[in-house]
Amino acid sequence: MATACVKRAYRYRFYPTDAQAAELSRTFGCVRKVYNLALAARTEAWARQERVNYNATSAMLTAWKKTEELAYLNEVSSVRLQQTLRHLQTAFTHFFAKRAKYPRFKSLKKSRMSAEYTTSGFRFRDGKLTLAKMAEPLDIVWSRPLPQGVEPSTVTVSQDAAGRWFVSMLCEDPGVRHLAATSAAVGIDVGLDHLLTLSTGEKIANPRHERRDRARLALAQRRLAKKAKGSANRAKARREVARIHARITDRRRDVLHKLTTRLVRENQTLVIEDLTVRNMVKNRSLARAISDAAWSDFRSMLEYKAAWYGREVIAVDRFFPSSRLCSACGALAGTMPLHVRTWTCGCGATHDRDVNAAKNLLAAGRAVSACGAGVRPQRRTPGGQSATKQEIHGATRGTSRL
């Protein structure tokens, strides 16, 4: 059985001492300060039509440390400050390559608090992790062991809005084995009524994690709105709102991890639809339900797990009319509003809308795999809209079911 060496991040929760929490908080603040200073310097240079690279900002950091105003930067690990300059360089690289927008300044309230350490900034011995500028190792909850003989190449420490501390260790894992090849293939149609519908006819219910906690979240948000700005009670109320959001996110990711792992283990080929979720959430009536379903996270997990274990994921063109195409005879039906859940083709075959779409996706995926060609629509729906856009637009009439 073939093996592959992949980079995997192992994330654990830890509980810092008061001294460690203070040191990490100082580090987060210095990281944010250096990032904003370097971004401001590069923005000013950009206005003068000058280019400033990582080496130039690294020299600036040395000069900043020598000033009286920024002398406190010497109190934290220099490794982390250099890393934030590398991250800024990467952000500009993506911007120049038109893969991302122009880098933004880090805000104390909105930015994720994190610090990344390379091998010179931490010590990992006998299963204990000690960061630079710290005398004691972190009190980590080892929910799962690291692979035998594997040591982290980088360590990222973060604190979420709910006040929880996490450490993420990036490792080169040489022991990831490809699963035994199988002839099984499955088409996967995502939705809101059911989270997934498989070409086998199986339907997986949508847990609707956000809706389950919606009343509790709304109450916490109302309490937060009534607190005086800048008060300790407002900070407590903000953490309560963050804890509810964290609870929803953790449940959602747990379900998606279990689903994607199961699908990858059972099937050699997995066919999905290439949806543009970023555009679909612009529909204000469905944005909350689509975001709660987390279709983008599902696809991301499916793709990287398939790459690990030697499976194949095929994305069929988003304009392919999977719902309106008869999986029995291939006839294309006319406009089909979203409230139509079953329909009968002229050949006499009666279809469940979602199961039929999954079967068509599987057939199209097999065609793509065989000839390497993309799947384009046979024709657009009336009015020039794609089939996907038509369904999302028509779904506004049934939002009460979401």
Side-chain angles (χ1 to χ4, degrees):
M1 187 178 295
T3 60
C5 183
V6 300
K7 288 186 176 181
R8 299 183 66 172
Y10 293 82
R11 188 167 179 256
Y12 305 93
R13 189 170 180 180
F14 74 97
Y15 296 87
T17 63
D18 292 341
Q20 290 173 340
E23 176 64 28
L24 289 172
S25 296
R26 281 196 299 269
T27 301
F28 294 156
C30 292
V31 163
R32 184 171 57 251
K33 182 66 174 180
V34 169
Y35 186 94
N36 289 341
L37 286 173
L39 178 55
R42 296 187 68 150
T43 301
E44 293 172 2
W46 175 266
R48 299 192 302 268
Q49 297 184 346
E50 298 176 3
R51 288 285 184 93
V52 175
N53 57 17
Y54 163 75
N55 293 331
T57 54
S58 181
M60 292 178 186
L61 175 59
T62 303
W64 292 333
K65 288 183 175 182
K66 295 179 180 179
T67 64
E68 181 178 356
E69 181 184 0
L70 300 175
Y72 62 86
L73 296 178
N74 293 290
E75 299 176 3
V76 302
S77 172
S78 61
V79 173
R80 184 57 197 103
L81 302 182
Q82 292 292 340
Q83 280 298 102
T84 196
L85 295 180
R86 293 189 179 95
H87 291 167
L88 180 60
Q89 178 63 37
T90 302
F92 271 101
T93 300
H94 291 322
F95 167 69
F96 291 131
K98 298 182 179 181
R99 293 191 296 267
K101 295 181 179 180
Y102 192 81
R104 295 182 296 180
F105 290 94
K106 291 184 178 293
S107 167
L108 176 61
K109 293 183 179 180
K110 297 182 180 180
S111 297
R112 173 175 175 264
M113 293 190 292
S114 66
E116 182 178 289
Y117 297 81
T118 56
T119 51
S120 59
F122 67 89
R123 183 175 69 253
F124 185 74
R125 293 179 184 173
D126 301 325
K128 295 183 178 180
L129 177 68
T130 306
L131 302 178
K133 301 284 187 178
M134 294 186 185
E136 300 178 1
L138 300 179
D139 181 14
I140 300 175
V141 180
W142 296 99
S143 53
R144 57 175 174 167
L146 288 176
Q148 190 69 26
V150 173
E151 294 191 359
S153 57
T154 61
V155 169
T156 302
V157 180
S158 61
Q159 184 184 27
D160 65 8
R164 303 179 300 176
W165 295 86
F166 295 95
V167 58
S168 179
M169 305 182 190
L170 184 64
C171 305
E172 290 277 355
D173 189 353
V176 177
R177 296 187 177 184
H178 286 181
L179 298 174
T182 176
S183 60
V186 65
I188 306 170
D189 181 63
V190 298
L192 298 178
D193 191 18
H194 292 88
L195 182 62
L196 302 178
T197 301
L198 309 184
S199 55
T200 58
E202 179 184 359
K203 292 188 176 183
I204 299 172
N206 187 353
R208 306 181 191 274
H209 301 286
E210 187 273 338
R211 192 170 73 172
R212 288 170 57 187
D213 282 346
R214 188 175 297 175
R216 181 183 175 192
L217 177 61
L219 177 60
Q221 289 173 331
R222 286 197 298 271
R223 288 174 175 172
L224 172 62
K226 295 177 181 179
K227 305 300 181 184
K229 292 186 178 180
S231 66
N233 285 336
R234 186 176 179 85
K236 292 179 183 179
R238 183 183 294 111
R239 283 194 296 271
E240 178 60 26
V241 172
R243 276 194 288 268
I244 298 174
H245 279 297
R247 175 188 176 94
I248 294 171
T249 302
D250 290 345
R251 285 178 168 179
R252 181 187 298 128
R253 291 187 63 83
D254 180 66
V255 168
L256 291 180
H257 272 299
K258 290 176 180 177
L259 283 176
T260 51
T261 298
R262 173 202 151 191
L263 291 171
V264 167
R265 285 177 177 173
E266 294 178 352
N267 301 278
Q268 182 67 34
T269 303
L270 304 104
V271 185
I272 59 177
E273 191 172 6
D274 185 22
L275 299 176
T276 51
V277 179
R278 180 171 52 187
N279 292 336
M280 295 168 71
V281 295
K282 293 179 181 179
N283 184 324
R284 297 180 62 181
S285 299
L286 292 177
R288 174 181 282 179
I290 293 173
S291 299
D292 192 27
W295 294 338
S296 294
D297 290 344
F298 169 76
R299 175 174 177 172
S300 175
M301 292 180 185
L302 200 67
E303 288 178 338
Y304 79 71
K305 290 179 182 180
W308 283 358
Y309 300 114
R311 302 311 201 194
E312 182 183 21
V313 175
I314 299 174
V316 175
D317 192 289
R318 67 180 64 94
F319 295 120
F320 180 64
S322 57
S323 298
R324 300 183 296 115
L325 193 66
C326 177
S327 57
C329 68
L332 185 64
T335 302
M336 190 177 299
L338 193 65
H339 68 270
V340 178
R341 307 314 301 171
T342 60
W343 60 282
T344 302
C345 179
C347 67
T350 300
H351 300 291
D352 177 283
R353 180 195 188 100
D354 298 329
V355 175
N356 178 66
K359 290 180 178 180
N360 286 325
L361 289 174
L362 176 58
R366 283 175 168 163
V368 170
S369 180
C371 64
V375 179
R376 299 301 299 178
Q378 296 183 22
R379 65 179 179 87
R380 294 288 183 98
T381 59
Q385 290 184 317
S386 70
T388 301
K389 292 179 182 177
Q390 176 208 20
E391 292 190 0
I392 292 298
H393 177 73
T396 56
R397 284 182 282 178
T399 52
S400 59
R401 298 188 298 110
L402 303 177

